[in-house]
Amino acid sequence: MIDQLRLLEDLKSLAAAKQAEITVAFDLAQRRRQAAAGVPTDQVGAGVAAQVALARRESPARGGRLLGLAKTLTGMPHTLAAFRAGQLNEWRTTLIVRETICLSPEDRAAVDEELAADTGTLEGSGDRAITSAVKAAAYRRDPASVARRAAKAVNERTVGLRPAPDTMTYLTALLPVAEGVAAYAALSKEADTRRATGDARSRGQVMADTLVERLTGTPGGITGIELQLIMTDRTLLQGDGEPARLPGYGIIPAETARTLITGTARGGNTGQPPRPAPTGNPPPDPAYPPHPASGPAPALDLWVRRLYTAPGTGDLIAMDSKARLFPPRLSRFLQIRDDTCRTPYCDAPIRHHDHITAWHKGGKTTTENGQGLCEACNHTKETPGWTAKPLPTSSGTRTTGRHTVQFRTPTGHTYQSTAPPLPGTLPTKNVPSETLRAETPRAETPPARTARTQPAETVLAGNDKKAAAGRRNRHVPALTRPSVAPALTAGRLQRPSVQVLGRAVRAGAP
């Protein structure tokens, strides 16, 4: 079995090397075709990386890196040979290319010959050892280029946020080495000081809490920034277990969503019981002393905005506009529905609200003809040969239920993108479309303009499940109107008709 594992690993490397060779050939063919079609010289090659990404089921950014890797390997025969032979996998081949990309083609070829990876010189080396060997060889060949690359890297400093398991996130910063080391040392010093004075939190917890406090200027991290939370009315009011969605992060458990809204204290080694939701400005309760690092919980303005969905499919009710640009409410609608860029395999944040069928081609400013795209994908869509169109939600005897877009590339290949399900939406793959249509009271569905806002205090007076369930009819009758949420039919799937959007803003903030 061990021999089989090794053989399959070698086969993976061989397949990836072959993909690189095909990618180079495809890039050349596309460039020739674009040049023959009269595409301006500075635009030749546009859209190639995006097509590579779709074919390999990767994000457009990853597709660009794969294209760059393939083209660079044509000038590094020893590395490419080691890649084919399985001596290097795709990631370690990428490391070698990445560390030599600043060199001229001649110097890069010289480093490739010096390392001679196909002779087994890197056999048994890990990622760090390979990176160090390539860096040293590149510096010996052209120290000036390496220095210029380091100086240029300063301009690429940035901050990123990506999801982590268990409703946590990775907040990362790409910084020059001096600033990065200084920031970490400052956090370490603060953690050591607080631990020495009896703080019960771990060193890592203190560093994380201090980072948030110093960045936001507020203990606990809640400032005037709006935190939007999408959940069903059942999750909000009845203690239902349906997960919620936090834009910019993704799906979070129902209990975590209710905790964010009710303002209970974060978990961890605080040594304190959970803090109840603040109401007004009550006097300090000795049973709930402040968090040792954060002090009193910040006051919040909590609001609920009702969003109506079709009971049969879970799709948001459409909105229209006669304007060329998407107005704020329609843009917010697209943000909530699409969550991230709609290009298949792209998880980038939405930056542009795009007409699927262009405005100058008769496309309307509607939710059906609108989609959220990242900046790069929106530019790619405008490249000659690319087309997109919205598809009907029903096809044959089945229904997708949610907004779907079909993309067609210059080679004629098609790809589909379906809007992600909102919280409370059940699978529809086994439900006949005629059944869903029969169960959807279209004539009684309230228009999108009825999505009003109201203070959350009127629907949240605590975290007790039974009390909240008993109050819902008195405070938010629109959430439970029979015309919007019909009764369950035996043997048939029903969809929620209401989604609840929670906003958390610091009191007094604009």
Side-chain angles (χ1 to χ4, degrees), residues 8 91 139 181 223 265 298 452 466:
L8 291 173
W91 170 242
Y139 187 79
V181 171
T223 64
R452 303 182 300 276
K466 294 182 179 179

Side-chain angles (χ1 to χ4, degrees), residues 65-355:
R65 291 194 292 271
L66 290 170
L67 176 60
L69 170 68
K71 295 171 69 174
T72 304
L73 281 175
T74 58
M76 304 181 72
H78 292 283
T79 302
L80 181 57
F83 192 13
R84 286 198 200 99
Q87 295 171 309
L88 293 171
N89 59 26
E90 189 172 44
W91 170 242
R92 287 175 179 159
T93 303
T94 302
L95 292 178
I96 295 176
V97 170
R98 187 181 69 185
E99 297 303 330
T100 58
I101 200 66
C102 63
L103 302 178
S104 65
E106 296 77 14
D107 287 334
R108 191 181 305 120
V111 170
D112 178 63
E113 186 172 356
E114 177 183 339
L115 295 175
D118 56 332
T119 64
T121 56
L122 299 179
E123 186 70 28
S125 299
D127 295 352
R128 183 173 297 182
I130 291 176
T131 301
S132 299
V134 178
K135 278 184 176 180
Y139 187 79
R140 286 194 299 268
R141 185 61 54 179
D142 189 355
S145 293
V146 176
R148 285 195 299 270
R149 177 183 177 182
K152 181 181 177 181
V154 175
N155 297 325
E156 298 176 357
R157 59 192 184 276
T158 185
V159 175
L161 183 73
R162 56 192 175 92
D166 304 322
T167 65
M168 303 290 283
T169 59
Y170 295 108
L171 175 65
T172 59
L174 179 64
L175 301 171
V177 62
E179 284 82 346
V181 171
Y184 188 84
L187 294 174
S188 298
K189 182 179 179 180
E190 180 68 16
D192 292 338
T193 300
R194 295 197 180 186
R195 291 274 293 170
T197 57
D199 196 313
R201 291 172 295 168
S202 69
R203 189 170 184 271
Q205 289 174 338
V206 176
M207 293 176 67
D209 294 344
T210 303
L211 174 67
V212 172
E213 292 166 14
R214 291 185 177 179
L215 287 177
T216 63
T218 304
I222 301 296
T223 64
I225 298 174
E226 179 175 296
L227 299 176
Q228 299 193 7
L229 190 62
I230 304 172
M231 64 174 70
T232 65
D233 55 336
R234 300 183 308 280
T235 297
L236 177 67
L237 300 171
Q238 294 183 305
D240 190 76
E242 180 68 34
R245 191 172 79 193
L246 183 63
Y249 177 85
I251 298 298
I252 63 175
E255 184 62 32
T256 301
R258 286 190 291 269
T259 298
L260 287 174
I261 289 182
T262 56
T264 51
R266 62 175 172 261
N269 183 20
T270 64
Q272 308 296 340
R275 191 199 319 272
T279 55
N281 296 302
D285 188 342
Y288 297 95
H291 186 284
S294 63
L300 301 177
D301 283 342
L302 300 178
W303 295 84
V304 171
R305 179 183 291 119
R306 288 169 293 192
L307 303 174
Y308 296 97
T309 63
T313 64
D315 201 20
L316 281 175
I317 303 304
M319 297 173 61
D320 296 340
S321 172
K322 296 182 179 180
R324 180 182 184 278
L325 300 178
F326 287 91
R329 289 187 178 182
L330 201 51
S331 297
R332 186 187 298 119
F333 184 102
L334 297 180
Q335 291 277 159
I336 294 171
R337 184 194 68 192
D338 295 343
D339 194 34
T340 59
C341 177
R342 284 294 297 274
T343 299
Y345 314 114
C346 184
D347 292 327
I350 294 174
R351 293 288 181 260
H352 293 175
H353 300 105
D354 171 65
H355 290 80

